[in-house]
Amino acid sequence: MTIIGLFKSHGGSIGREHHDGSEGNVVGGASELEKKLGLNPVTNPVPTPEEKKGATNFGRSIHRVLQFEGGLNPSDTNGTPSKFGINKAANPDVYDSIQTPSDASQVYYNRYWKPLGADQMDPNLAHVAFDTAVIAGVPKAKELIAAANGDPQKLLELRKNFQDNLIANNPEKYGKYENAW
């Protein structure tokens, strides 16, 4: 499923942006980023009810993530830049194509939300799991989700312990993120 047009209802702040400034579905084919992600807004099938539900949950989660991950960070935790929280080292094949929050949303959906199986999770767990994947990566998020037995509150506790350990073991590198996390 392509996520084009999913964010128009969220205050207009995260819409599918075209070069002419309009919003909506792409006419005539996929953008460069959509091609790299294997998406085609013209030929993708109509989403199932489960996908629509998952898209609603994703919309809530991405809106919150982009509030904290906006813009360009010239030196993320691994020393490489990030745009809207998408790290260049972790996503080198699509990084240069990310120009807008909508572009970042497509990367988040296809590389973080879907691999977590967040469409199939309780909305509260999906929200915390997605945010954890953004912070720590999908493999670490899956590890913490399993340890939390699907409990969103327990996942938050485990994530905090993980982050506290990062800060304690390397305060110079991670200390500046303590209040942001």
Side-chain angles (χ1 to χ4, degrees), residues 122 125 141-155 158:
D122 167 81
L125 177 62
K142 285 182 172 184
E143 175 188 320
L144 295 175
I145 293 164
N149 292 318
D151 180 343
Q153 188 60 45
K154 180 71 174 172
L155 178 55
L158 292 171

Side-chain angles (χ1 to χ4, degrees), residues 109-123:
Y109 184 79
N110 286 287
R111 297 207 171 161
Y112 297 81
W113 185 265
K114 283 175 65 175
L116 283 173
D119 283 345
Q120 307 306 314
M121 292 179 187
D122 167 81

Side-chain angles (χ1 to χ4, degrees), residues 169-181:
N169 291 327
N170 195 340
E172 189 173 311
K173 181 176 181 179
Y174 295 108
K176 65 182 176 181
Y177 298 100
E178 184 172 14
N179 292 329
W181 288 341

Side-chain angles (χ1 to χ4, degrees), residues 5-85:
L6 290 179
F7 308 111
K8 196 170 184 181
S9 65
H10 293 282
S13 62
I14 309 174
R16 173 65 165 113
E17 300 171 13
H18 295 277
H19 297 290
D20 65 359
S22 65
E23 290 186 338
N25 288 325
V26 175
V27 176
S31 71
E32 176 186 342
L33 177 62
E34 290 160 342
K35 288 175 186 172
K36 288 180 180 179
L37 291 172
L39 304 175
N40 187 336
V42 177
T43 61
N44 280 353
V46 175
T48 66
E50 292 79 20
E51 288 174 327
K52 286 181 182 178
K53 179 181 137 212
T56 300
N57 293 337
F58 177 73
R60 170 183 165 234
S61 295
I62 193 65
H63 182 75
R64 177 116 171 110
V65 163
L66 289 175
Q67 287 178 326
F68 295 96
E69 298 285 356
L72 175 67
N73 178 355
S75 182
D76 208 351
T77 56
N78 64 359
T80 63
S82 66
K83 291 181 198 171
F84 307 103

